[in-house]
Structure formats: structure tokens, C-alpha cells
Amino acid sequence: MFDIIVKGGTLPDGTVADIGLRDGLIAAIGDLAGAGAGRVFDASGDLVSPPFVDPHFHMDATLSYGKPRVNASGTLLEGIALWGELKEIVTIEEMVARGLRYCDWAASTGLLAIRSHVDTCDDRLLGVQAMLELREQVKDYIDLQLVAFPQDGLYRDPTARANTLRALDMGVEVVGGIPHFERTMTDGAASVRDLCETAAERGLMIDLHCDETDDPASRHVETLAYEVTRLGLQGRAAGSHLTSMHSMDNYYVSKLLPLMAEAGLSAIPNPLINITIQGRHDTFPKRRGLTRVKEMQAHGITVGWGQDCVLDPWYPLGTADMLDVAFMGLHVAQMTHPDEMRRCFDMVTTENARILNLPDYGLHVGARGSLVVLDAGDPVEALRLRPARLCVISNGRIVSEAPRGDSRLSIPHRPATVRRRHDPGM
Ligand code: FE2
């Protein structure tokens, strides 16, 4: 007897199977005909995936767009200044409320694990208090992993270092930083070393906003790879953004990529934001500002798409849907081969889970009973249509259901009787 059976779904690898969930875990995968369950969800013809994972977000700022004003220039630096104005007037209650609204929205899209950077440049640490409270309130249905992030610079802001360490003492579990925002390249490199040593001493993961600039001379990723190797942080370190790599000299990058691979350093590009924020100082040709995704993957580096922002000082849009993130990444990185499109789906599910070191993630017996049923036949169709999430299950409990689209179009590789999301392109 199972609590739930998800019947006849197609897994991302093309396998068709029933999935039985019991006591919050995946208890069986295979042919469960005849087995009893409290609820049977018919997923015949539908894609059944492990949950979406976002490895880079700013939960303390989300859903604040327009407060106290909009970002007129659209640049990273005005966004940071605008967030500074908002921090002066924000309250713990407001941040928790915005975060709860976002988490409910995320759950409805099947996004059940989020790594969020939380600003530590505030002597009251209101954002840290709010995000710890939020993490507790959503823990039954969303894994919220917090990064202590000195937004205004570990050294550039006079109390940031002490406050970042305080945040870690309070239970924030990942070390963050922003070396390209320090006053000098030297300070930036020193901050990378300092933060890596903190992560090593405390046995924590590290994820730095790194080289989020169009300046090809911003090479903090080199220092990050070096320190990660020196301190044995392989497999628990990530560089977020890495946009300067877009503009770097190719010869230098040919040396850098093997060093990143040797360090076991993961990369987290954020395509929605990088495509809109980078290149703002260019006339034409305008740089795209996305890091070198396919080249990293060719070197065996784990790369995961991140969302970064939804309706906040840096980005006026956003949907809490990792398929939208992957869709943009696929286009900007020109990952249009079928294998590359499949990889883009993996980048917002299994590969992001690896970056976050999520325990018991995936579709296998003994894994946590979390999955999402999509109104699509396979991962590529899911990317193309970004369809309804018919059922989202978190830790063995259905947390969201949605109706199918209103048309019944025939798709060549799917049964004609399967109801379709409205798709005028077919
Ligand atoms: Fe960010």
C-alpha cells in the first residue's frame, strides 16, 4: 500500500514507469499494477521529473520591484545602490511575507530547492533573521539553502566581514562574497582567500558572486580555483555569474578552464540577468555577457543555470519557473543540439542538485518523495512549451496541481489522445 502512485509517467531518460511513494520517500519504481494507494495520479504520456532546483537567488529582495523606485539605467551598480535604499526601509515581516509568496509560487512550478544569497551588510542582520525564519516556515516543502553574502564587499564595507561571520554563526550554511566589487583587484583576491579559508575552517560550502563584470581583466575566478584546490574544497565550491570570462582572451581561458576543472569548481551562470545587465556599456557589437557554458562542460565542469532575480532592483520580470531560465540559457549559449537541450533540462534539475549537494535527490528508490509531473512528453518538449505542472509532490505530499491546457493538438511523438497545452506553433 502506497500513499501515492504516479502512474505511467515518462521519466527524463525515456523510461515509462509507475512511482510509488510512501512515508515521504520513493518506495518503488516499476510496474505497480494492482498495488493500492491513497491517491493514484495518472501521468500517462506526461513527463515525470525530479524537482527543479535554483542554485542562485536573492530571496531577501524578491517581489520588491519598484520600491522605492525602479532601476533607471538597468545596470548592476544601480541595482546595488537601489537595494541599499530599500534596505533602509525594509522590515523582517515584509521580507518573510515576500519570501512566502515567492516560495508558494515556486512550489507551483515544481521548484522545490533554492540556494538564496542573503545580504549580510546590515549591522542588524534583518535579512538574515528574515531568511532563517522563512527557511523554517517552508522547510516541509522547499529546501532553502542560504548563502552569507556581503553585498557591499567583504572589505569595502567596514562591518561586512564581522557580520558575515555572525550570519554563519546564526545558521547560514554557505559562504558568499563579491570580489569584483572590492576596491582593488588585490582586495578582491584577498577576499577570495579569506572566504575560502572560512569555508575550510567551518566545513562549509562556498559560492561567490565572481567576476560579474564585462572587464576581461577581472580574474578572481583564477584565485578562487587556486584557493579551492589549496584548501581541499573540491565539490563544494561554486563561482556564480563568471561573466568576465565572456570577454577574456581565448589564450588565457585555455589555461583557466583546466584549473577550474582541477579544482572541482562549479559554475552558475544566470542567463536572464546576465543577458540584460551585461554589455550595458557597449555600443555595437554588444557583448552577451554570458560565461562560456559549453566550453566549461567540455572540460567536465558542472554548470547549472540560476535564476538570480525575480521582480527586484536588478530585474523587472521573472516567473519562478526554472524552465524559463533554461530556455533563455539555451538560446544565449546556443545549445540547440538535441543533446545540448537535454543537458539544459538536466542543468535545472540534477546538475543544480549536485551543486547544492542535496541529499537523497532524484528518482530512485529511497530518494525523497519529491517530483513534478509536466504536461510534456520529454525534456526538450518541456523546454519548448514550458507547460503546465500537473502535479507537484514534495516529501510525499501533493503541494500543487494544475489543469492541462485547453487544446487537444496532436504531436507526432506523443499519443494523439493526450490532452495538450495550447500550442499554435504545431
Ligand atoms: Fe546574484
Side-chain angles (χ1 to χ4, degrees), residues 323-344:
L323 285 177
D324 281 343
V325 176
F327 186 78
M328 176 62 81
L330 183 160
H331 282 77
V332 181
Q334 299 178 325
M335 296 177 70
T336 47
H337 186 279
D339 292 344
E340 293 171 341
M341 291 193 286
R342 278 291 315 271
R343 186 80 187 259
C344 282

Side-chain angles (χ1 to χ4, degrees), residues 56 58 117 209 212 241 308:
H56 190 114
H58 292 266
H117 296 253
H209 283 64
E212 188 183 6
H241 295 293
D308 204 1

